[in-house]
Amino acid sequence: MTERRERVVVVGAGLAGSLAALHLARRGYEVDVHERRPDPRSALTSPGGRSINLGLSARGMRALEGVGLLTDVLKRSVPMRGRVVHSPDGAVRFQPYGVREHEILHSVLREELISLVVDAAEAEPGVRFHFGSRLVHLDRETATVRVEPTGGGDPTTVTADLVVGADGVFSTVRQQMQHGLRADYAQEFLPWGYKELTIPVGADGRPRVRLEALHVWPGHEALMVAHPNRDGSLTCSLFMAHEGPVSFTALDTPTAVSEFFHRHFPDAVGLMPDLVRELADHPVGHLVTVRTAPWRYADRVVLIGDAAHAVYPFYGQGMNSAFEDCLVLDGCLADHPDRATALAAYETARKPHTDVLADLSTANFEDLRDRVHRFGYTAAAAADRLLARLLPGRWVPLYAMVSHTTTPYADALARADRQDRILRAAGAGLVMAAGLAATATLRAGRRRSTRR
Amino acid sequence: MTERRERVVVVGAGLAGSLAALHLARRGYEVDVHERRPDPRSALTSPGGRSINLGLSARGMRALEGVGLLTDVLKRSVPMRGRVVHSPDGAVRFQPYGVREHEILHSVLREELISLVVDAAEAEPGVRFHFGSRLVHLDRETATVRVEPTGGGDPTTVTADLVVGADGVFSTVRQQMQHGLRADYAQEFLPWGYKELTIPVGADGRPRVRLEALHVWPGHEALMVAHPNRDGSLTCSLFMAHEGPVSFTALDTPTAVSEFFHRHFPDAVGLMPDLVRELADHPVGHLVTVRTAPWRYADRVVLIGDAAHAVYPFYGQGMNSAFEDCLVLDGCLADHPDRATALAAYETARKPHTDVLADLSTANFEDLRDRVHRFGYTAAAAADRLLARLLPGRWVPLYAMVSHTTTPYADALARADRQDRILRAAGAGLVMAAGLAATATLRAGRRRSTRR
């Protein structure tokens, strides 16, 4: 058999693009991956590179397990067994992530994770990664791309059978694929941005805070989240408004930074010796939600990951859902020999769930900002966890379904809504029972006083 | 006094752009208007030009009155005193637009209306219209535009104090103004498109249907709307899905057209002798909603009309809201000597209302498609009209507020919601009263039978 192998161009070698390349190679395609940035493996060894950690949860783990990489990845990650919630009054509360042993997350460095996937993909025959290679143009009618070296040089034209757009939230593939079509597109920026800061390992070589957890400093005007690293340090993301009285713009002097941190995150100040310098030096990141359709064009172009659906990071599902895209796409390609049908099936199977994830991620921001400290919220969360313990497998809190299962997002939300209605009805029942009891007591009292 | 007059470049000489030019000229600016298309006044005299009619309602009339053009416009328009609703069974129902004499709409040709406004603007000192001149680039930092003749020739660079983006739904000004900013942007295409068809004047020189009305053929799979022209003809818009079993794509043979029209719009077939040819020749228009923010940049760039907010045409408010934008912007420029403040005030004052208009326009599509024929809908509408008659000025149906008043859209919706709640409570009260009456009757009956 000397059948010509079909050819795929993957644009973008981030999390989604590199995993898709691996899947496609194993499915028999010849794969060229073009990535604008330099090889992440060289960035790993270069000092001063920004370290971004991600929380790997069930969906991501399933995808990595499917390609045989989970063990390697877990070796390089730090388990997060729960959340440590820091209050402005200095109080610290540990909330386990789940009710069972395996219900934990894993903190992993983005570049390290990508490097493992790229290594595995490159080990497949017919896979070539081209770093520093930028997409200039896509012709969706012929699946032809023009790419050029970012360092200068002549562009090259490559015609493929399929182009995979894994080029992130401001995807060029998406833009050129949808050009002139009746495409729906919505981008929404959060008025808040983020900066990355460091909680370095202590002078004694030990972590300054409990390591195996995600640390959260909720807050109405600013909030922080910190992921652990293997060296005992933590990488912290500070979220707050871009502009306004309490904002990144307002933190323009060391005094302003110090006052701000002492007011909002008093117990964090001592953990972050480089705070002032890091705040001055690090860029502010933007947070954006993108929803769009279509995700595909005929049998020739398809979008995955942030290019198809970007979400705010507050549910920690960006990477996990990107990996899940790859899994679903691979399954659709396996199920449907006709590729146009496969791509359509992928979009149909996937989009309703990533739309729900966008809503959940926005809601989680609002929870972290406004509700985590409120009694109603913590009481409901406690009831949820109690029921999960009493009814194992039959009562699953939403967070657990999203993070510790692979139940599709929309199905998870629907089930959580049903559980919520039961809780509310139970609450109403309780109130009524209490009312009846009170009335009965009152009547009994009246009868007694009548008798007297 | 030889103070330098400030200079404005308006991009787009559609409805919004030409009225804005007139306002700005009267406010003392020197105004250059660049419009990609040819002069609409030459199109008026050219045969075969597409005639698009619009329904002028209270908001548009107020804006035209403000610049002294209303009388001229009304002379060129046909009053529409209500809706004629055509049912598939051939039944025809006339619904007056309002309960009072002035509550009517006016059908006017878009190009004729623009021509009147352009004439008035050109009569002002310091106003120049450049037709066939396309925007190539905008530098928002210096309010500099590069324009080039569409017919070929060298580009020109013009630096202004203010650039007004009136260049429609796919605005280049918007795109370049927002480039790299944290701009929110959402476009949504309706799966339905439209084609324009003609109901020509009868062989006897008289209109084939009642002229002074908007004709509506509602329908679940396709719907039509027809506006009257001064010559006794009507211009009809057929709305249906782009693709699918009942769609423009499916109307690919004269037989398919004939069967479709006989099934969906039986009483229209005889009115449209050129139906088959027109359906084959005319392009399918797209329908898109655009919401975005910001609408402005510093004191130098501002968006109006479709460039700021495009809506589906089903509420007939596209032109009216574009004219209202001009009025609000002009008022803000009058109120705030600092132009950055004026532009910010304009966006703040206006955007919540055009967002509501987008929702209302979508809801009106759904009504025309699914609900107009339903008993609940017609009963509620009848109750609404009756209350409006009984409580003049105190009970105003939503349609009347949108079309016959200048109450801002969001305020109109809020008031309609209150009225709706009253209606619903009254309905509930009625049901309960009926229930009580029935129970009482039953009890009385029982008492009687006990006595017997």
Side-chain angles (χ1 to χ4, degrees):
Chain A
M1 299 267 290
T2 55
E3 207 183 314
R4 181 186 84 92
R5 288 174 69 183
E6 284 199 297
R7 190 165 182 183
V8 185
V9 167
V10 177
V11 181
L15 294 154
S18 50
L19 184 60
L22 178 52
H23 278 143
L24 290 161
R26 294 194 177 164
R27 198 153 288 292
Y29 288 94
E30 206 171 311
V31 184
D32 282 275
V33 187
H34 293 268
E35 166 60 54
R36 201 164 38 94
R37 282 161 294 192
D39 193 327
R41 294 164 295 190
S42 60
L44 275 185
T45 55
S46 77
R50 273 168 77 200
S51 75
I52 302 174
N53 344 39
L54 302 165
L56 185 65
S57 60
R59 292 158 210 275
M61 287 194 272
R62 183 169 72 151
L64 290 170
E65 193 165 31
V67 292
L69 286 176
L70 184 58
T71 312
D72 280 354
V73 170
L74 291 187
K75 268 186 214 152
R76 285 165 180 79
S77 67
V78 180
M80 300 191 291
R81 306 189 182 280
R83 271 202 273 212
V84 175
V85 180
H86 299 250
S87 297
D89 60 5
V92 168
R93 205 158 18 100
F94 177 76
Q95 300 169 341
Y97 267 134
V99 294
R100 277 165 300 170
E101 181 59 24
H102 75 276
E103 294 183 351
I104 62 173
L105 310 185
H106 301 270
S107 173
V108 57
L109 282 173
R110 183 177 184 277
E111 301 305 293
E112 207 161 18
L113 177 53
I114 294 178
S115 298
L116 281 171
V117 182
V118 170
D119 280 342
E122 268 190 344
E124 296 291 325
V127 176
R128 284 173 302 271
F129 279 80
H130 311 266
F131 292 99
S133 177
R134 191 176 75 88
L135 177 71
V136 184
H137 184 257
L138 159 71
D139 176 0
R140 67 181 175 224
E141 300 305 335
T142 57
T144 300
V145 298
R146 195 159 71 245
V147 290
E148 69 178 16
T150 49
D154 292 333
T156 326
T157 297
V158 188
T159 296
D161 298 286
L162 171 65
V163 175
V164 177
D167 50 345
V169 55
F170 296 112
S171 170
T172 308
V173 173
R174 179 182 69 218
Q175 196 189 312
Q176 304 213 348
M177 179 191 87
Q178 292 180 342
H179 185 78
L181 300 183
R182 297 190 308 273
D184 290 344
Y185 178 75
Q187 69 181 41
E188 193 172 350
F189 279 86
L190 201 67
W192 287 30
Y194 70 97
K195 274 197 191 195
E196 267 154 22
L197 307 169
T198 315
I199 298 178
V201 69
D204 56 359
R206 295 171 55 189
R208 291 168 192 248
V209 291
R210 176 180 185 144
L211 192 69
E212 297 198 340
L214 181 84
H215 289 258
V216 181
W217 287 261
H220 188 66
E221 295 178 305
L223 61 92
M224 286 202 305
V225 167
H227 285 80
N229 298 314
R230 272 189 295 158
D231 66 1
S233 69
L234 289 95
T235 305
C236 197
S237 303
L238 166 63
F239 297 91
M240 63 193 299
H242 286 280
E243 282 121 33
V246 180
S247 70
F248 285 112
T249 315
L251 295 186
D252 51 355
T253 62
T255 315
V257 170
S258 170
E259 279 177 6
F260 167 81
F261 266 81
H262 277 98
R263 189 168 67 248
H264 290 269
F265 312 116
D267 66 336
V269 181
L271 308 174
M272 303 164 95
D274 294 333
L275 187 56
V276 170
R277 186 191 53 78
E278 286 186 329
L279 264 175
D281 289 356
H282 292 186
V284 184
H286 289 177
L287 301 168
V288 59
T289 298
V290 166
R291 295 165 204 257
T292 191
W295 285 8
R296 66 198 153 86
Y297 185 74
D299 61 343
R300 294 190 290 283
V301 190
V302 68
L303 305 176
I304 58 175
D306 282 359
H309 52 82
V311 301
Y312 297 144
F314 302 101
Y315 224 117
Q317 286 292 311
M319 160 190 47
N320 291 288
S321 65
F323 277 176
E324 206 171 37
D325 285 354
C326 297
L327 213 56
V328 173
L329 175 59
D330 193 50
C332 290
L333 288 169
D335 292 348
H336 304 281
D338 174 60
R339 198 169 49 235
T341 310
L343 302 187
Y346 156 70
E347 179 173 349
T348 305
R350 195 69 187 131
K351 183 169 160 58
H353 299 297
T354 57
D355 280 348
V356 165
L357 177 60
D359 293 337
L360 290 177
S361 302
T362 305
N364 237 28
F365 166 64
E366 289 159 4
D367 282 352
L368 280 174
R369 190 186 56 184
D370 299 331
R371 281 185 282 272
V372 165
H373 282 312
R374 289 207 192 136
F375 173 72
Y377 180 88
T378 46
D384 223 15
R385 275 199 302 275
L386 181 66
L387 285 164
R389 226 170 250 126
L390 295 174
L391 305 166
R394 291 169 53 211
W395 187 282
V396 190
L398 179 59
Y399 185 87
M401 276 190 281
V402 169
S403 299
H404 307 314
T405 78
T406 55
T407 306
Y409 297 117
D411 302 349
L413 179 64
R415 182 166 170 185
D417 282 345
R418 283 197 302 275
Q419 292 175 173
D420 225 42
R421 279 198 297 274
I422 294 172
L423 261 189
R424 242 178 259 174
L430 189 72
V431 168
M432 282 169 65
L436 285 176
T439 313
T441 313
L442 208 67
R443 279 189 188 153
R446 270 204 214 114
R447 273 199 298 275
R448 273 197 300 278
S449 50
T450 312
R451 263 182 237 149
R452 215 185 289 160
Chain B
M1 301 265 293
T2 55
E3 206 183 317
R4 183 186 84 93
R5 287 174 69 182
E6 284 200 296
R7 191 165 182 184
V8 185
V9 167
V10 177
V11 181
L15 293 155
S18 49
L19 184 59
L22 178 52
H23 278 145
L24 289 161
R26 293 195 178 163
R27 198 154 288 293
Y29 287 94
E30 204 171 312
V31 184
D32 282 275
V33 187
H34 292 269
E35 166 60 53
R36 200 163 39 93
R37 283 161 294 193
D39 194 326
R41 293 164 295 191
S42 60
L44 274 185
T45 53
S46 77
R50 275 167 76 200
S51 75
I52 303 174
N53 344 40
L54 303 164
L56 185 65
S57 59
R59 292 158 211 274
M61 287 194 272
R62 184 171 70 152
L64 289 170
E65 193 165 32
V67 292
L69 286 175
L70 183 58
T71 312
D72 279 353
V73 171
L74 290 186
K75 266 186 216 154
R76 285 165 178 79
S77 67
V78 180
M80 301 192 289
R81 306 190 181 278
R83 272 202 273 212
V84 175
V85 180
H86 298 251
S87 297
D89 61 5
V92 167
R93 204 157 22 100
F94 177 76
Q95 301 169 341
Y97 267 132
V99 294
R100 275 164 299 170
E101 181 58 26
H102 74 275
E103 294 183 349
I104 62 172
L105 309 186
H106 301 270
S107 174
V108 57
L109 282 174
R110 182 177 183 278
E111 302 305 293
E112 207 160 19
L113 177 54
I114 294 178
S115 299
L116 282 171
V117 182
V118 170
D119 280 343
E122 268 190 344
E124 296 291 324
V127 176
R128 284 173 301 273
F129 279 80
H130 311 267
F131 293 99
S133 177
R134 190 175 75 88
L135 177 70
V136 183
H137 184 259
L138 159 70
D139 176 0
R140 67 181 175 225
E141 300 305 334
T142 57
T144 299
V145 298
R146 195 159 71 243
V147 290
E148 69 178 18
T150 49
D154 293 332
T156 326
T157 298
V158 187
T159 296
D161 298 285
L162 171 66
V163 176
V164 177
D167 49 346
V169 55
F170 297 111
S171 169
T172 308
V173 171
R174 178 182 69 219
Q175 195 189 312
Q176 306 214 348
M177 179 192 86
Q178 292 181 341
H179 185 79
L181 300 183
R182 295 191 310 272
D184 290 345
Y185 177 75
Q187 67 180 42
E188 194 171 350
F189 280 85
L190 201 66
W192 288 29
Y194 70 96
K195 274 197 191 194
E196 267 152 23
L197 307 169
T198 315
I199 298 178
V201 70
D204 57 358
R206 293 171 58 187
R208 290 169 192 248
V209 292
R210 177 179 184 144
L211 192 68
E212 298 198 342
L214 181 83
H215 290 257
V216 181
W217 287 259
H220 187 66
E221 294 179 305
L223 61 92
M224 287 201 305
V225 167
H227 284 81
N229 298 315
R230 270 187 297 158
D231 66 1
S233 68
L234 289 95
T235 304
C236 197
S237 303
L238 166 64
F239 296 91
M240 64 192 300
H242 285 280
E243 284 121 31
V246 180
S247 70
F248 284 113
T249 314
L251 295 186
D252 50 357
T253 63
T255 315
V257 170
S258 170
E259 278 177 7
F260 167 83
F261 266 82
H262 277 98
R263 190 167 68 247
H264 290 271
F265 311 116
D267 67 335
V269 180
L271 308 174
M272 303 163 96
D274 294 332
L275 187 55
V276 171
R277 186 190 55 75
E278 285 186 328
L279 264 175
D281 289 357
H282 291 186
V284 184
H286 289 177
L287 302 167
V288 60
T289 297
V290 166
R291 296 166 204 258
T292 191
W295 287 7
R296 66 198 154 87
Y297 186 76
D299 61 342
R300 295 191 289 282
V301 189
V302 68
L303 305 176
I304 58 175
D306 281 359
H309 51 82
V311 301
Y312 297 145
F314 301 101
Y315 224 117
Q317 286 292 311
M319 160 188 48
N320 291 288
S321 65
F323 277 175
E324 206 171 38
D325 285 353
C326 298
L327 212 56
V328 173
L329 176 59
D330 193 52
C332 290
L333 288 169
D335 292 348
H336 305 280
D338 174 60
R339 197 169 51 235
T341 310
L343 302 187
Y346 155 70
E347 179 173 349
T348 305
R350 194 69 186 131
K351 183 170 161 57
H353 299 296
T354 57
D355 280 348
V356 164
L357 176 61
D359 293 338
L360 291 176
S361 301
T362 305
N364 237 29
F365 166 63
E366 289 159 3
D367 281 352
L368 279 174
R369 190 187 55 184
D370 299 330
R371 281 186 281 273
V372 164
H373 281 311
R374 289 208 194 137
F375 174 72
Y377 181 89
T378 46
D384 223 15
R385 277 200 300 276
L386 180 66
L387 285 164
R389 223 167 253 129
L390 294 174
L391 304 165
R394 289 170 55 211
W395 187 282
V396 191
L398 179 58
Y399 186 87
M401 276 190 281
V402 169
S403 300
H404 307 314
T405 78
T406 56
T407 307
Y409 297 117
D411 302 350
L413 179 64
R415 182 167 171 185
D417 282 345
R418 283 197 301 275
Q419 291 175 174
D420 225 41
R421 280 197 297 275
I422 294 172
L423 261 190
R424 241 178 260 174
L430 189 70
V431 167
M432 281 169 65
L436 285 176
T439 312
T441 312
L442 208 68
R443 279 189 186 152
R446 272 205 212 115
R447 273 199 299 273
R448 272 197 300 277
S449 50
T450 311
R451 263 180 237 150
R452 215 183 290 163

